[in-house]
């Protein structure tokens, strides 16, 4: 599978480390309700279809990137840096 | 070396290079260009092996990767490979091969007695028989395993070299038959980077086995012409002996190139090479596999696919028999009959299951005198170990015999039951093949990836149409890859009058006959087995496959699957299109594990990491230990000293005088910027803001779920400059995690984070004499107690090099850690070692490092197992009381407040002598089997002169003084232990300042 790193271009997925769901929203405040925290730490959707997720370009630029990947077909529709909305 | 069945002329073999090989101990002759199968046939060897379950004699059915029967044990010793298809072995001088699954010989195999019990051995018999008594299975199973199964594995390591390489191209063409060659040429003409791969020795695909004319000239001229054109294109690469075996995401295709399998290998030769090909567009010109027909005894040696008989004759100049009977359902078989007759094989009859075949193919056989019997079929073959004749009868259009039958003597039965396009790679690429009743096979469906099929792989069998399809697809693929195509006029394709094939999945048995009728040869699956599976309730073709083992052999059902699915459909009384196929998975052919490993085997399975002082350790006599990927000194034994004695001596030396240890493997990070301290506050449980410049602090990081992640130190080098160290094991993971916090969680914080793990070499100097030696090597800057208090930091110059000194201690003695840029690590080690000579300096390794820290109750990897909290470790006082940090909320969850949680304690043998077994469980004497905890680290303590250990025990802190039992079922030992504080030695820490 090729992952398009915004810095480095298309690179094989063996250069990357998977980093989990990127749709969780901001980290809850320290005194947020207990259930909010437990959902943030443990609960994940498991969609069959388009998914936004983090990957770390471990054997490349070592940046964290956000990738849009279809979990069924592995088709990757774009990537971006965290905190930015543009996808390449 | 008489090859009685070899014709004097013709074929692609090189008669100027005769070769010799040995099969079952008998020496035979062949030629360069032969496969083992063609050479065996040339020498009249008909019986090659015995079948999996019934031990029936088996011969050669096919030409290539689709061969189910001719499996041999190839080579001997370390190079031996079981279950190798004789059709895929390129003959070389001195080759040795033997039959499998037979004893004492393939011609007389005692295993054939299982045939007598075949009624007890249908598909799935082992789920129903040999069930009682239950313990009896232990006696039956080895016997059953010996009786069934194939070759034997090598017992020595693979001696061959393999490698991996990468290739990028615009158009990858898989297969060099007429369609593939046309595609490669038209794509190459646009200037695109084209990679053409073919599993064969030479290009040409099916053309090599036929005597076709292209543009009124022999096809070999056309092949040579295209090859020359391709060779003249600088952007075109051609790989022969290269099988594309896997199609992966994003148009990545894996190809196995057999670099030196056909030559005697010299040392250093690469045997096989795997190409990881990244293609913009892929063209699948993978051809089609001929199907056989199901009739009685259709597995006898001498029953062969018609295309294979023709191939052996045309490509290898081998007559596969003397007198042949042909059985066909399509027009192509008529050309086979003509070729056989012209090649010296007498064709007694051609049985066509179609009632009214007509057209050019049939007409051209009329002048040969070969008797054609329409609407007829073979009902069963005769012969004990090879075909001696067949019984034939007229059949109706669903294969049921009617009327009278008669026998025809023959030694070769050529069967053509239609063609199944090789859709494997298309399916691996997530295409979904669909059934085409016109050809009785599955053709490619819609493509998901950038691939398309051409020629026979698509169900197109007419030669001109294949060439045209290939040419069009090549141009189209190049255009999609961004290259300009010069439009050429398409050649009109003349329609040739022909009769469509008639697909009959099973020829009915004559009344009163009970011969085995095989649907899958390699696993001895009969039509009765499939009917049985459906009767027993299996509905899905995937279940029937696994219950009967249909298509699970080494050829993965290439000739048999479609028929198998049709039998399932018939038994379920549904359409074959709704039954579908089983899932196609890579590899397309068996791949040696060595090829998959490439160069990354043995020592190279994992990168070896060495510190800057590696050679110095060796010079000091270190025994090196693989610790994760790092090579670290275990200890430095003197001559005739055991490793245990060395570790004890080293630990004692540190406590009594002075030791030196390489700690370069620790993770190290620079954290710099106005928000550096805010960042550190959020990742550590400790208060960081109060850390002054020039001071160090022991720090612990948690995971979000409140579990301890790592421990290390944080030092403030300057106002906005911090230096963080971590454990060796977690350094890489922490680098990722800290970057995540910086880039994803808190991108608004203004700081720089740099992983400098490899940039600094580090030495710990520990022991009562450590200050003396340190002061001696420091050239500028003071290291006295005032300039460098305990948990302090300063920068000095040693040997002309700026060095960071940290006064921290893992051993519990007065100690200093010296950091220099890694290039100076070795010279620093030598300098300090030299300066310490008069003070009895002792290099020590990780064994004694471990001993010293256990005596002081310091936790390390054994304790930080991903399940402990900071309170479990007794370090709750380190946690700051306000301010958020990662893991704060997680630590507050109810499950982590349980007072029965396992807590860190020390354990010592009650008798003061018995060693506590590593990994032992802690139990109460009166309640065996209920674990209260486990031993995490063990050592022998030089200061207490007895074995000691650290352990995690339920409510451990309230059990000090209790006697429990450390039990190890593995070591078969129980040791009474007393629970105590983990601070075995110097609990006040006086020696740190002493």
């Amino acid at each position: 599978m090729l992952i398009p790193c915004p810095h480095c271009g298309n690179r094989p997925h063996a250069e990357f480390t998977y980093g989990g769901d990127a749709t969780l929203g901001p980290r809850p405040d320290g005194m947020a309700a207990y259930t909010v925290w437990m959902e943030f730490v443990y609960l994940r959707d498991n969609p069959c279809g388009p998914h936004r997720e983090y990957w770390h370009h471990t054997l490349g630029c070592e940046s964290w990137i956000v990738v849009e990947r279809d979990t069924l077909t592995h088709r990757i529709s774009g990537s971006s840096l965290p905190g930015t909305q543009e996808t390449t | 070396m008489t090859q009685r069945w070899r014709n004097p002329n013709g074929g692609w073999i090189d008669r100027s290079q005769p070769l010799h090989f040995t099969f079952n101990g008998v020496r035979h002759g062949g030629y360069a260009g032969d496969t083992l199968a063609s050479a065996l046939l040339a020498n009249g060897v008909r019986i090659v092996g015995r079948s999996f379950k019934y031990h029936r004699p088996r011969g050669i059915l096919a030409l290539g990767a689709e061969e189910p029967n001719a499996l041999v044990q190839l080579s001997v010793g370390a190079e031996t490979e079981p279950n190798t298809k004789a059709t895929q072995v390129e003959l070389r001088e001195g080759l040795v091969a033997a039959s499998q699954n037979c004893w004492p010989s393939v011609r007389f195999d005692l295993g054939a007695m299982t045939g007598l019990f075949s009624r007890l051995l249908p598909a799935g018999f082992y789920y129903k028989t040999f069930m009682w008594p239950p313990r009896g299975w232990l006696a039956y199973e080895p016997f059953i395993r010996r009786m069934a199964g194939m070759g034997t594995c090598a017992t020595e390591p693979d001696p061959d070299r393999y490698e991996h390489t990468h290739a990028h191209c615009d158009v990858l063409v898989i297969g060099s038959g007429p369609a593939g060659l046309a595609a490669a040429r038209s794509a190459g003409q646009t200037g695109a980077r084209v990679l053409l791969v073919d599993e064969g020795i030479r290009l040409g695909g099916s053309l090599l086995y036929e005597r076709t004319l292209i543009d009124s000239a022999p096809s070999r001229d056309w092949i040579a012409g295209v090859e020359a054109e391709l060779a003249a294109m600088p952007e075109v690469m051609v790989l022969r002996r290269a099988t594309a075996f896997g199609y992966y995401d994003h148009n990545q295709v894996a190809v196995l190139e057999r670099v030196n399998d056909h030559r005697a290998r010299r040392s250093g030769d690469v045997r096989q090479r795997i190409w990881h090909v990244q293609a913009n567009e892929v063209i699948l010109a993978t051809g089609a596999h001929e199907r056989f027909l199901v009739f009685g005894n259709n597995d006898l040696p001498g029953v062969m696919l018609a295309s294979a008989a023709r191939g052996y004759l045309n490509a290898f100049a081998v007559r596969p028999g003397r007198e042949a009977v042909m059985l066909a359902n399509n027009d192509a078989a008529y050309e086979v009959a003509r070729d056989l007759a012209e090649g010296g094989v007498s064709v007694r009859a051609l049985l066509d299951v179609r009632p009214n075949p007509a057209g050019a193919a049939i007409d051209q056989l009329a002048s040969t005198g070969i008797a054609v019997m329409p609407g007829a079929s073979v009902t069963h073959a005769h012969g004990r170990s090879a075909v001696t004749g067949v019984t034939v009868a007229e059949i109706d259009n669903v294969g049921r015999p009617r009327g009278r039958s008669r026998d025809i003597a023959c030694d070769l039965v050529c069967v053509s039951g239609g063609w199944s396009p090789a859709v494997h790679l298309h399916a691996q690429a997530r295409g979904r093949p669909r059934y085409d009743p016109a050809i009785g096979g599955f053709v490619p469906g819609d493509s998901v990836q950038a691939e398309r099929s051409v020629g026979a792989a698509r169900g197109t069998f007419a030669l001109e149409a294949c060439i045209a399809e290939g040419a069009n697809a090549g141009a189209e693929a190049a255009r999609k890859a961004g290259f300009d195509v010069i439009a050429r006029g398409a050649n009109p394709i003349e329609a040739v009058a022909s009769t469509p094939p008639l697909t009959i999945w099973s020829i009915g048995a004559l009344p009163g006959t009970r011969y085995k009728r095989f649907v899958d040869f390699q696993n001895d699956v009969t039509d009765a087995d499939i009917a049985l599976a459906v009767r027993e309730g299996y509905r899905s073709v995937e279940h029937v496959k696994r219950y009967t083992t249909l298509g699970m052999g080494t050829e993965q059902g290439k000739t048999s699957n479609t028929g198998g699915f049709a039998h399932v459909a018939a038994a379920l009384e549904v359409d074959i299109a709704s039954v579908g196929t089983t899932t196609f998975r890579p590899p397309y052919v068996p791949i040696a594990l060595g090829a998959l490993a490439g160069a990354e085997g043995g020592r190279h399975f994992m990168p070896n990491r060495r510190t800057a002082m590696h050679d110095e350790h060796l010079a000091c006599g270190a025994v090196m230990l693989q610790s994760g990927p790092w090579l670290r000194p275990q200890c430095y034994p003197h001559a005739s000293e055991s490793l245990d004695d060395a570790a004890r001596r080293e630990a004692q030396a540190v406590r009594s005088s002075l030791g030196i240890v390489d700690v370069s493997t620790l993770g190290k990070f620079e954290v710099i910027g106005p928000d550096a301290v805010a960042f550190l506050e959020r990742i550590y449980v400790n208060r960081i803001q109060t850390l002054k410049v020039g001071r160090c602090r022991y720090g612990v990081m948690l995971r979000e779920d409140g579990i301890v992640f790592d421990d290390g130190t944080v030092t403030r080098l300057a106002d906005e400059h911090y230096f963080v160290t971590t454990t060796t094991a977690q350094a890489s993971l922490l680098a990722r995690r800290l970057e995540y916090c910086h880039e994803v969680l808190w991108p608004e914080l203004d700081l720089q984070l740099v992983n400098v793990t490899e940039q600094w070499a580090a030495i710990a100097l520990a022991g009562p004499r450590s200050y003396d030696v340190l002061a001696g090597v420091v050239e500028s800057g003071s290291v006295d107690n005032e300039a460098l208090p305990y948990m302090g930091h300063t920068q000095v110059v040693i040997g002309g090099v700026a060095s960071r000194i940290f006064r921290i201690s893992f051993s519990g003695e007065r100690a200093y850690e010296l950091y220099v840029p890694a290039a100076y690590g070795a010279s620093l080690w030598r300098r300090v070692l030299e300066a310490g000579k008069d003070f009895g300096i002792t290099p020590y390794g990780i064994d004694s490092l471990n001993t010293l820290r256990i005596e002081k109750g310091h936790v390390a990897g054994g304790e930080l197992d991903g399940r402990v909290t900071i309170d479990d470790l007794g370090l709750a006082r380190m946690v700051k009381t306000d301010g958020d940090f990662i893991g704060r909320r997680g630590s507050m969850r109810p499950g982590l407040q349980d007072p029965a949680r396992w807590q860190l304690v020390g354990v010592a043998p009650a008798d003061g002598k018995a060693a506590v077994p590593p990994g032992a469980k802690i139990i109460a004497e009166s309640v065996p089997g209920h674990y209260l905890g486990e031993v995490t680290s063990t050592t022998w303590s030089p200061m207490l002169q007895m074995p000691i250990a650290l352990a995690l025990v339920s409510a451990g802190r309230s059990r000090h003084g209790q006697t429990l039992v450390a039990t190890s079922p593995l070591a078969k030992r129980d040791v009474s232990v007393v629970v105590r504080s983990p601070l075995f030695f110097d609990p006040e820490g006086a020696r740190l300042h002493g």
Side-chain angles (χ1 to χ4, degrees), chain B residues 236-250:
Chain B
V236 174
M237 179 160 76
V238 177
L239 285 180
R240 296 169 186 76
R241 297 185 174 91
T243 309
F245 65 85
Y247 201 128
Y248 303 100
D249 290 314
H250 302 180

Side-chain angles (χ1 to χ4, degrees), chain B residues 132-403:
Chain B
W132 184 89
R135 304 204 84 214
W137 178 248
L138 298 174
Y140 310 137
E141 197 263 353
F143 180 69
I144 291 174
R145 188 162 287 280
R146 265 205 303 278
M147 286 297 293
M150 307 296 219
T152 47
C153 280
T155 51
E156 296 158 64
D158 189 335
D160 282 309
R161 270 190 64 200
Y162 302 86
E163 61 185 28
H164 286 215
T165 189
H166 291 77
H168 292 78
C169 61
D170 298 303
V171 182
L172 169 66
V173 181
I174 301 176
S176 74
L181 283 173
R185 175 172 61 180
S186 73
Q189 281 166 347
T190 68
R193 294 170 303 169
V194 176
L195 175 59
L196 172 65
V197 302
D198 193 285
E199 61 181 357
I201 304 168
R202 55 181 52 82
L203 305 185
S206 57
L207 292 174
L208 300 172
Y209 304 117
E210 299 165 4
R211 299 191 300 161
T212 1
L213 298 178
I214 300 180
D215 299 334
S216 310
S219 60
R220 67 167 67 203
D221 294 345
W222 184 81
I223 297 171
V226 177
E227 261 194 88
E229 285 187 62
L230 295 175
M233 297 173 184
E235 297 291 345
V236 174
M237 179 160 76
V238 177
L239 285 180
R240 296 169 186 76
R241 297 185 174 91
T243 309
F245 65 85
Y247 201 128
Y248 303 100
D249 290 314
H250 302 180
N251 261 19
Q252 191 168 44
V253 176
V255 177
L256 178 78
E257 183 191 2
R258 302 186 309 279
V259 182
N260 275 305
D261 269 336
H262 58 290
R263 292 191 274 252
R265 278 186 289 294
R266 302 151 305 185
S267 134
D269 275 353
V270 169
R271 179 198 171 197
Q272 294 176 350
R273 178 181 297 131
I274 287 189
W275 293 77
H276 300 277
V277 181
Q278 188 64 54
N280 286 335
E281 303 287 332
V282 175
I283 297 177
L284 300 173
T286 47
H289 297 128
E290 195 170 29
R291 295 189 294 269
F292 52 86
L293 283 160
V294 177
F295 52 86
N297 290 334
N298 60 338
D299 67 323
L300 274 173
V303 177
M304 190 179 280
L305 292 172
S307 60
R310 177 189 205 181
Y312 285 115
L313 192 60
N314 289 332
F316 302 101
V318 170
R319 297 188 307 281
R322 190 183 308 106
E323 299 194 305
V325 166
M326 312 261 331
L327 171 62
N329 80 338
N330 61 77
D331 283 358
Y334 286 76
E335 290 178 22
V336 177
R338 180 203 66 200
D339 283 1
L340 286 176
E342 291 178 16
V345 179
S346 161
V347 181
R348 305 280 318 272
L350 191 157
L351 299 142
D352 194 329
V353 303
R354 299 171 296 178
N356 297 303
I362 287 80
D363 293 341
Q364 52 102 17
L365 206 58
S367 54
T368 60
I370 295 173
V372 174
M373 299 170 55
S377 172
V378 169
T379 58
H380 58 273
H382 320 148
R384 279 192 49 148
S385 53
V387 170
T388 55
V390 291
T391 299
V392 306
E394 285 188 1
I395 55 165
D396 63 16
N397 66 349
V398 290
R400 283 185 296 240
R402 55 186 181 196

Side-chain angles (χ1 to χ4, degrees), chain A:
Chain A
M1 190 165 63
L2 293 176
I3 295 181
C5 173
H7 295 311
C8 309
N10 276 340
R11 303 299 304 172
H13 81 275
E15 290 185 5
F16 296 81
T17 310
Y18 181 67
D21 195 338
T23 63
L24 297 179
R27 195 166 166 274
D29 167 62
M31 291 321 292
Y34 178 70
T35 50
V36 172
W37 265 104
M38 288 302 105
E39 279 184 30
F40 176 75
V41 173
Y42 289 110
L43 295 189
R44 296 290 180 269
D45 290 333
N46 191 19
C48 176
H51 187 236
R52 276 171 62 85
E53 55 196 28
Y54 292 117
W55 287 84
H56 180 246
H57 198 182
T58 312
L59 296 179
C61 61
E62 293 191 307
S63 293
W64 282 93
I65 66 175
V66 180
V67 174
E68 314 232 352
R69 176 181 66 97
D70 188 304
T71 60
L72 182 63
T73 65
H74 287 187
R75 189 168 164 273
I76 291 183
S77 52
S79 68
S80 59
L81 294 177
T84 63
Q85 284 309 307
E86 317 92 56
T87 41
T88 52

Side-chain angles (χ1 to χ4, degrees), chain B residues 58-59 117 119 129 219 264 283 297 313 332 360 424 622 884 972:
Chain B
R58 293 285 169 83
F117 303 101
R119 292 197 65 186
T129 51
S219 60
I283 297 177
N297 290 334
L313 192 60
H424 308 67
D884 194 16
K972 295 191 178 32

Side-chain angles (χ1 to χ4, degrees), chain B residues 51-54 58 518 520-526 529:
Chain B
S51 72
F52 181 62
K53 190 163 58 168
Y54 301 126
R58 293 285 169 83
F518 288 93
D520 180 300
F521 292 131
Q522 188 162 129
N523 285 347
D524 273 346
V525 180
T526 63
D529 289 327

